[in-house]
Amino acid sequence: MNPRFPSFFKRALLATALLGTGQAFATDSVGLVVYNAQHETLTKAWVAGFTEETGIPVTIRNGDDTEMGNQLVQEGAASPADVFLTENSPAMVLVDNAKLFAPLAPTTLEQVDSAYRPAHGNWVGIAARSTVFVYNPSKLTEKDLPKSLLDLATPAWKGRWAASPAGADFQAIVAAVLQQKGEAATLEWLKGMKTNATIYRGNSAVLKAVNAGQIDSGVIYHYYSFVDQSKTGENSKNTKLYYFKHQDPGAFVSTSGAGVLASSKHQDEAQKFVKYITSKEGQEVLETGTSFEYAVGKDAPSNPKLTPLKTLDAPKVDASTLDSKKAVELMTQAGLL
């Protein structure tokens, strides 16, 4: 809204938006406060649909997974947040371990496939993304591709791949390796990564470097390529994606999460928001939008351009126990952070 509008006009517009909703927000309220670590455009689309359907206003405060998770833990019961959205599940685990979430309504949980929500029901999956190996076909042929993510720690891959270890995306991948392979094997792999990998800041930078031929390959999430391809393709036109499958650590599918804070003063509205995101209508944003993340609602189709989620043969990972703290400790020990 234009900041030059008189304040009484702003209040009048907000009051009009709330007429008939029966909600307990004052006319000068910011409405629901969402701490958002998901993509801003995706969350804005969800918020727009939710507010149009319910009349409930929503204020979004953006940050990254680790930043906002730690902020919620620090704020505790004094947090102004009503809902927390993440890109990866370790930040949800961090907040859940601090016992800051309220249980979600069973009707909300039932909307999501059981593979993408923890059994305890304190938070729920809202989207997913697959780990992929992106490569430049002028540098690598299909017969050159690694059979496993763990192969990238061997001497043959020195100087031939890239990653962005400082980001929450890659740290979620490491947490999954840790859960599957244990601490010793994970540390050994990370030490090999320290020797072999070229470090970039951000998955987009990795994709761009592979596309430009600066590095042969990299480990990213799938949607970076699909988003670029949906635009100009200038940072991905010289690349291909390889899916490890076979329940390899490199086939890890990361779950984005949503949870309602137990300290929220708007419990009913917050629960409705998470229910909307996981509903058929909310999940349709993933099918028709440009985020290119996977839908996780029951029978909810993903964008048709994506490799079908059911064909990825991802490893079975308990998203509710991914240990990001230990993953970061091991990455630090290996010299990656």
Side-chain angles (χ1 to χ4, degrees):
M1 187 176 292
N2 192 322
R4 292 176 296 178
F5 284 180
S7 59
F8 74 88
F9 185 59
K10 294 181 186 178
R11 289 196 296 271
L13 285 178
L14 184 54
T16 300
L18 290 171
L19 284 176
T21 67
Q23 308 304 330
F25 293 111
T27 55
D28 61 349
S29 171
V30 296
L32 282 178
V33 174
V34 174
Y35 275 21
N36 178 53
Q38 244 295 349
H39 295 151
E40 293 183 26
T41 53
L42 175 56
T43 299
K44 284 180 180 178
W46 275 327
V47 164
F50 173 74
T51 300
E52 181 179 1
E53 182 174 291
T54 66
I56 299 172
V58 178
T59 295
I60 304 172
R61 298 185 181 178
N62 296 304
D64 66 27
D65 280 357
T66 305
E67 172 193 2
M68 303 218 86
N70 284 325
Q71 182 175 340
L72 282 168
V73 171
Q74 291 171 359
E75 291 174 344
S79 178
D82 297 297
V83 176
F84 183 35
L85 306 182
T86 66
E87 288 188 351
N88 301 284
S89 61
M92 302 301 294
V93 176
L94 176 69
V95 176
D96 187 36
N97 286 345
K99 303 190 183 307
L100 296 177
F101 285 136
L104 291 173
T107 51
T108 297
L109 299 172
E110 289 168 3
Q111 295 184 142
V112 176
D113 191 291
S114 60
Y116 304 104
R117 54 179 168 88
H120 55 56
N122 293 340
W123 59 271
V124 69
I126 54 175
R129 63 275 302 279
S130 175
T131 310
V132 294
F133 185 75
V134 59
Y135 68 100
N136 188 315
S138 71
K139 301 284 188 176
L140 295 172
T141 64
E142 288 188 13
K143 66 179 180 61
D144 298 323
L145 300 178
K147 289 183 170 49
S148 170
L149 180 72
L150 302 183
D151 290 347
L152 298 177
T154 63
W157 285 95
K158 186 173 182 178
R160 303 187 71 187
W161 70 287
S164 176
D169 285 355
F170 196 83
Q171 290 169 16
I173 295 171
V174 174
V177 174
L178 175 62
Q179 187 180 111
Q180 289 178 270
K181 300 298 181 180
E183 188 171 330
T186 302
L187 180 59
E188 181 181 0
W189 181 70
L190 290 171
K191 288 179 177 178
M193 177 180 171
K194 172 64 177 176
T195 299
N196 292 350
T198 300
I199 304 304
Y200 288 86
R201 187 169 184 82
N203 285 326
S204 295
V206 173
L207 177 64
K208 188 174 182 179
V210 175
N211 183 71
Q214 297 171 1
I215 191 77
D216 295 358
S217 60
V219 175
I220 61 173
Y221 281 147
H222 77 277
Y223 64 83
Y224 287 91
S225 176
F226 283 93
V227 169
D228 188 69
Q229 286 288 314
S230 72
K231 298 176 182 177
T232 63
E234 61 182 331
N235 295 321
S236 60
K237 61 184 178 181
N238 300 321
T239 69
K240 289 186 176 181
L241 299 183
Y242 171 60
Y243 295 82
F244 285 100
K245 300 187 177 182
H246 308 295
Q247 299 186 32
D248 186 79
F252 166 63
V253 171
S254 182
T255 302
S256 302
V260 171
L261 279 301
S263 57
S264 169
K265 295 180 176 60
H266 310 110
Q267 286 292 321
D268 288 346
E269 294 84 357
Q271 291 278 349
K272 286 180 181 178
F273 181 70
V274 177
K275 186 173 185 177
Y276 173 82
I277 290 176
T278 55
S279 70
K280 180 180 179 181
E281 184 177 357
Q283 291 287 288
E284 280 179 355
V285 172
L286 295 162
E287 180 188 7
T288 61
T290 56
S291 69
F292 292 99
E293 294 190 61
Y294 286 101
V296 295
K298 287 182 179 176
D299 301 319
S302 298
N303 190 298
K305 292 184 179 180
L306 300 180
T307 300
L309 188 58
K310 64 182 180 182
T311 69
L312 298 182
D313 195 17
K316 290 179 172 57
V317 173
D318 185 351
S320 68
T321 61
L322 288 179
D323 191 345
S324 59
K325 181 179 179 181
K326 176 55 71 173
V328 168
E329 288 176 2
L330 294 175
M331 293 175 77
T332 303
Q333 188 176 341
L336 289 166
L337 298 176

